[in-house]
Structure formats: structure tokens, C-alpha cells
Amino acid sequence: MSSSMSHARCLPSAAASKVMKGRCCKVGGPAFDDGFRDRQAAPATCGRGWRLYASGLGRQVMKSELDHLPERQQRELERVREILLEEFEKAILPATKPHKRNGKIYKIILFGSYARDDWVDEPENGYQSDFDLLIVVSHEDLTDIADYWYVAEDRIARDPAIGRPVNIIVHSLDEVNTALSRGEYFWTDIARDGIALYELPCHSLAMPMPLTATDACRMADEYFSQWLPLADHAMSLSRTSVDNGVLRDAAFMLHQATERLYICFLLVRTLYFPRSHNIKFLRSLAEDKEPRLVPAWPRATKVDRARFERLKRAYVEARYSASYAITAEDLEALAASISQLRDIVADLCRERIAALRADAAKTEGGIRNASA
């Protein structure tokens, strides 16, 4: 990247609005009119898909090209982006508070396997990578899924033009940049590998700061000590529920055990987990980070996939739906998978903590030698 690009200045907001109002830059291609003439200003691009305005001292420059993806996936992502922008505009219309009524989507960022170019697309075998998207908004109040994003998620899930699951996480720019300033691995990975599907000028990500190995080791160890026992406790409660013949409660507690195991892994590995009870989403994020988690869940048959789906639904339906049903055979099969998942997560977390501890010792040794 040229020095002139790395020090490019951001257009003043008024000028940017006048020049680019109502237009959104098609990722990897020319601008097109997306119908948002008054709400969302459009991004400008410069050679090879890098965002000119996002660069500058101490700010993160994001990639924006999708040329590595097949045309079908590119079209699907374009459709997802359109729905997200449309439904956000509708969601903020009734708002009375200025920070909600004038709310903005600053960025829509593709991360994970489709951004890194190592996705899997074998739905017939039960293996299909999800689209993982980070939506960066102007205020923390706009991150509430039920208030602002539920309709968009529902439309995306039902849209026949979108052929794979789509997971979204929503955070304010302040939240993301604070996490980047702390060097949290989940966010630094997105800053490094993520691809901007949509951006507004002058709201770039902060430059990631390094997290010390000592701090990372301490945090990972604390998370492991907290979450693995919680997962074990949920599994124990599930067995008690089976013994008492309360199969619905057993299903709910198996869901909780699964959720807690994925939270444990994600926190130890990335120092972050999304605010979601969707274990399919959590599984997708975790397996994207570590393929050794995949064998815990059989997926070859419809029965295998249906059991996991029934477990996923247990978070709400096992507690509140009179029609929810699960058999002792299903619970036994699910418990076996969760026990295997538990052992894999425990081994991976201990491996990660040992590596962080070794890095911390090496760093501290280097500091002592330098000061000697």
C-alpha cells in the first residue's frame, strides 16, 4: 500500500453526504443505487477494494473484495446486505430518541471461513459453512436483536435466494474499538481477515493493540475455571431430570451444557462469545476456530441432524411449548455427543492455556534478560 493511501484524509461528513448520498458501493464493483437516499451515505473505494477513507494513522483499513468467492455466494451476500439495510431503516422509524431515530449502520463485515477462503459447502453431507457477519452500529441501544434485527434475521432465513445459514452479531463502534484497543483475539482476527460488505465514511476501526501473553493467560484460565464446572453442573442436572422422568427439563439442561461448553471454548480461545443462546450459531463460531470440535456431533443422517435441531429448540420450547417432545433415546444420544464435546473442549482449553503460559514465561524471561 502506498504511503499516500495510508495517510489519506476522510472527507468532511457534509461533503461526503453531498457527493455520495443514496449510493452504496457494490463490493468489488461499481456503485449502485440501493434506494437509501436520505439515511445511509455510501462508501468510496480505491484500487483493489481497499477503503480509502478508512485508512490513516492508528485506524484499520479493511478489505472489501469478494473475488475469491463463487458468484452465487457473492449474490447471496448482496441480498443479505440489502435486507439488513432495509429492515434497519424500518426498525428505527418509530424511535423518538435522536440517537435511535438517527441511528446508522456503520459497517457490515463478513468474517470467518468465507472471509478467509476456507469454507465448506457440502449441505448434502451435513457440512456447510455459515455466513458470519458483524454489524457495527452507531449506538449500543441499536444492538438489541429483538428490537432492531429480528425481522431481518427472519427474512434472511426464509429468503429462497440465500442458500446457507446467516449468523449476525451486532455491536456499537465504541464496543468494537474498545475490544480492539485491548487486543482481544476475536476482534483482532476480524480486523485482520474481515471483508467490508458495507461501510460509511469516517467510522473506521481502531488499530488493534497487542494483548500481553500474561494477561491473555490469566483471562483464559479464569474463564476455563468458571465455565467448565458450569457445563458439568448442567449435565448433572440433566441426568437427574432423566432419573425423575422429566425429559423436557433434561433436554433444556443438555442445551445449557452445550451452550456453556461453547462459551468456555470461545472465551479461552478468543476472549469473546456472542450474546446468543443459539447453539447452532455458537457451534459454527467454535468449529470455525477449531476443526477438532467437529467430530463431537454426528451429521451424516437426518436423524442426527434432527436431534441437534431438537436440542437447539429446547432453550425455548422445552420450557414453554406444550408440543415439545423428546425421547429417552434422543436424550441418550445427545448426552453422548455432549460428553464427547466436553472432553474435546477441556483438552483444547488446557492446550491453549499451556501455550499462553509458555508464551508468557518466554516474554517475561526476555524482559528480565534485557534488563540485566
Side-chain angles (χ1 to χ4, degrees), residues 140-200:
E140 185 179 358
D141 288 350
L142 303 173
T143 66
D144 187 276
I145 297 295
D147 288 346
Y148 297 98
W149 305 101
Y150 176 81
V151 175
E153 284 189 318
D154 186 58
R155 278 189 61 189
I156 289 168
R158 292 184 292 105
D159 195 311
I162 301 169
R164 66 214 68 249
V166 178
N167 303 314
I168 68 169
I169 57 175
V170 188
H171 288 273
S172 70
L173 184 63
D174 286 345
E175 289 176 313
V176 174
N177 282 343
T178 297
L180 285 170
S181 71
R182 293 196 294 256
E184 295 179 7
Y185 299 130
F186 179 83
W187 301 102
T188 59
D189 286 351
I190 291 179
R192 182 190 66 231
D193 301 327
I195 298 174
L197 306 182
Y198 176 87
E199 289 189 288
L200 285 185

